[in-house]
Amino acid sequence: MTINEANFKGQKVIVRVDFNVPLDENGKITDDTRIRGALPTLKKVLDDGGALIIMSHMGKPKGKVNPKLSLGQIKDAVSAALGAPVKFAPDCAKAQDAAAALQMGEVLLLENLRFYPEEEGKPVGVEKGTPEYDEAKKAMKESQKEFAKTLASYADSYIMDAFGTAHRRHASTAVIADYFDADHKMLGLLMEKEVTAVDNVLSNIKRPFTAIMGGSKVSTKIGIIENLLGKVDNLILCGGMTYTFAKAKGGNVGNSICEEDKLDVALSVIEKAKENGVNLVLGTDCIAADAFDNNANTQVCPAGNIPEGWEGLDAGPESRKAFAEAIKGSKTILWNGPAGVFEFDNFTGGSRAIGDAVAEATAEGAFSLIGGGDSVACVNKFGLADKVSYISTGGGALLEAIEGKVLPGVAAIRG
Ligand code: AMP
């Protein structure tokens, strides 16, 4: 069943969305891309004459209640986006009464699913690798099923529309689907759009294909980096990763973020790029700062020759030029992760140079796919959202889909 074949009149529909939106220190949403992304599905249910139960996670509360990560903070924003009043259930696993009382046309938002460890299904407070952990994991699997069953009991149909977490087999993203028959579970419109966008890129790669990977660490992205080495013509590695590579090549990186235990991994990426004929573009210079602060003193220096006490927080002018050069003329572009600490206005230059080059290449006919909360925030911050081809709401999910993996959230529905 697809959502457009369904009619939700008279039904209560539980929808897993990804409302893991960035908040500022006052709990104000700084980028509402993910809320806007879920609207077509949510509106379809209401327009059909159904009732909505919306569920999501926010941040990483690790199975504990954390008021700073309460979805109650975004209730009014969801209500404004939907153009309908939204009720709030302050305990997602004890919302039976609120769900039962819900009338058609009404909306109920559940509290952060990850306040319960059952959502992710990871045992808490037990050390990994111990026999106790294995036991705890078995028990957790059972309680995860119970948790999913409780969520399922609130509704007649289930829609999975949280692309951002579709690469996780969690209670609300996959396990819950076991409690609905094939006619009462389906992917939402956002999921369908995202999966199609990835399929379009993978089935029809126009060359040159350039991937830009930034962000803080090599370790979290090494899987996709290795995978991309077999697919792309140009691979730009930027952001905090720059310094692990610079150190691996024998440089001094001062206080820059650097994964000492990944130096060999960095060297092997360089080697593999050579073997595969991939043009690997690494940052050669940086904007170094004397503190992790927007107002820190700065100097431009080589990424592998940063003075003690200083740290590279953005790509330098020479690197920006090299990035733009590699992006220019590309016909397929994938961008995930910023080139610097873009949250500080004084360190946005590298990411901005990439954004501008991607927009320019798109105007020349490239298909550009932007994914990951931070790169999407960059594109929005620089006013480039309508100058790129497709903005994905997924980070990890997008990368796993690009790797060719079947996402558990998709498999749970499609089998
Ligand atoms: P990730 O979650 O791995 O995609 O990383 C995103 C984060 O990387 C953003 O919050 C950036 O501020 C951060 N980042 C980018 N470049 C640097 C850098 N040179 N030093 C420290 N953090 C960085």
Side-chain angles (χ1 to χ4, degrees):
M1 172 80 77
T2 70
I3 186 168
N4 280 325
E5 290 164 352
N7 187 329
F8 299 106
K9 190 174 169 55
Q11 282 196 40
K12 289 179 186 169
V13 184
I14 190 158
V15 187
R16 176 53 157 107
V17 295
D18 179 5
F19 281 176
N20 183 27
V21 288
L23 302 177
D24 67 15
E25 57 282 0
N26 303 315
K28 207 171 149 280
I29 299 169
T30 54
D31 187 328
D32 68 348
T33 306
R34 287 178 163 167
I35 294 179
R36 284 187 282 112
L39 288 181
T41 293
L42 300 178
K43 285 193 169 156
K44 153 85 176 149
V45 173
L46 291 180
D47 289 350
D48 275 3
L52 269 178
I53 300 162
I54 305 175
M55 57 177 175
S56 178
H57 76 286
M58 178 179 273
K60 295 180 177 159
K62 302 210 166 116
K64 288 201 197 101
V65 174
N66 177 348
K68 282 195 178 142
L69 297 174
S70 170
L71 283 169
Q73 300 172 93
I74 68 163
K75 180 175 94 75
D76 292 344
V78 175
S79 168
L82 266 177
V86 173
K87 295 180 176 173
F88 184 62
D91 186 334
C92 64
K94 296 199 177 87
Q96 290 84 352
D97 291 347
L102 204 63
Q103 301 296 309
M104 292 306 131
E106 290 188 337
V107 184
L108 176 67
L109 173 66
L110 304 185
E111 180 56 288
N112 195 340
L113 296 159
R114 290 193 190 165
F115 285 180
Y116 280 88
E118 285 83 359
E119 165 61 0
E120 293 182 84
K122 275 190 221 146
V124 271
V126 203
E127 207 177 312
K128 247 185 172 172
T130 59
E132 291 79 22
Y133 185 85
D134 293 343
E135 276 306 306
K137 199 155 182 211
K138 247 191 247 159
M140 176 51 87
K141 224 174 171 188
E142 288 311 307
S143 32
Q144 186 183 46
K145 282 186 197 160
E146 281 307 310
F147 181 68
K149 197 170 163 189
T150 300
L151 298 171
S153 74
Y154 301 157
D156 305 299
S157 284
Y158 164 66
I159 301 176
M160 166 57 181
D161 211 18
F163 183 69
T165 42
H167 58 317
R168 306 278 183 231
R169 192 177 154 75
H170 289 171
S172 67
T173 60
V175 182
I176 188 175
D178 290 346
Y179 301 97
F180 293 90
D181 65 36
D183 289 339
H184 293 88
K185 59 182 166 190
M186 59 214 83
L187 297 180
L189 294 166
L190 176 66
M191 281 291 295
E192 282 183 3
K193 200 167 88 171
E194 297 271 12
V195 170
T196 308
V198 173
D199 283 350
N200 282 347
V201 169
L202 290 185
S203 62
N204 184 23
I205 296 176
K206 297 212 177 83
R207 297 193 177 274
F209 178 10
T210 299
I212 307 143
M213 303 292 295
S216 54
K217 291 179 179 171
V218 181
S219 51
T220 52
K221 299 204 172 151
I222 188 62
I224 180 76
I225 289 174
E226 286 182 336
N227 185 279
L228 286 170
L229 282 170
K231 290 195 170 88
V232 298
D233 302 291
N234 302 301
L235 178 61
I236 298 173
L237 296 181
C238 52
M241 280 190 256
T242 307
Y243 310 99
T244 301
F245 280 85
K247 177 112 195 212
K249 290 200 280 184
N252 294 318
V253 297
N255 283 352
S256 306
I257 185 169
C258 175
E259 291 174 281
E260 299 280 348
D261 59 337
K262 292 288 173 290
L263 302 183
D264 53 338
V265 172
L267 290 177
S268 101
V269 167
I270 295 173
E271 208 41 52
K272 267 193 209 147
K274 254 189 226 150
E275 280 167 21
N276 291 5
V278 171
N279 174 32
L280 178 65
V281 186
L282 293 166
T284 49
D285 62 348
C286 69
I287 311 289
D290 61 358
F292 190 79
D293 190 301
N294 186 43
N295 297 317
N297 295 308
T298 60
Q299 61 172 298
V300 174
C301 57
N305 193 10
I306 301 176
E308 266 325 298
W310 292 68
E311 56 191 307
L313 295 189
D314 198 5
E318 192 182 275
S319 307
R320 295 177 199 182
K321 227 169 130 191
F323 298 162
E325 198 53 44
I327 293 166
K328 199 173 150 190
S330 298
K331 287 285 172 264
T332 306
I333 302 169
L334 169 70
W335 180 18
N336 174 278
V341 184
F342 78 103
E343 296 92 335
F344 295 155
D345 284 345
N346 292 333
F347 298 93
T348 53
S351 303
R352 192 180 286 269
I354 289 176
D356 286 341
V358 171
E360 224 168 275
T362 310
E364 300 279 316
F367 182 88
S368 52
L369 175 56
I370 320 296
D374 288 321
S375 2
V376 174
C378 281
V379 165
N380 287 333
K381 187 167 180 164
F382 307 148
L384 298 172
D386 56 354
K387 296 192 169 71
V388 297
S389 311
Y390 187 79
I391 297 183
S392 173
T393 54
L398 174 74
L399 298 181
E400 289 200 15
I402 297 266
E403 277 186 62
K405 290 187 185 158
V406 178
L407 306 177
V410 176
I413 304 282
R414 290 191 176 163

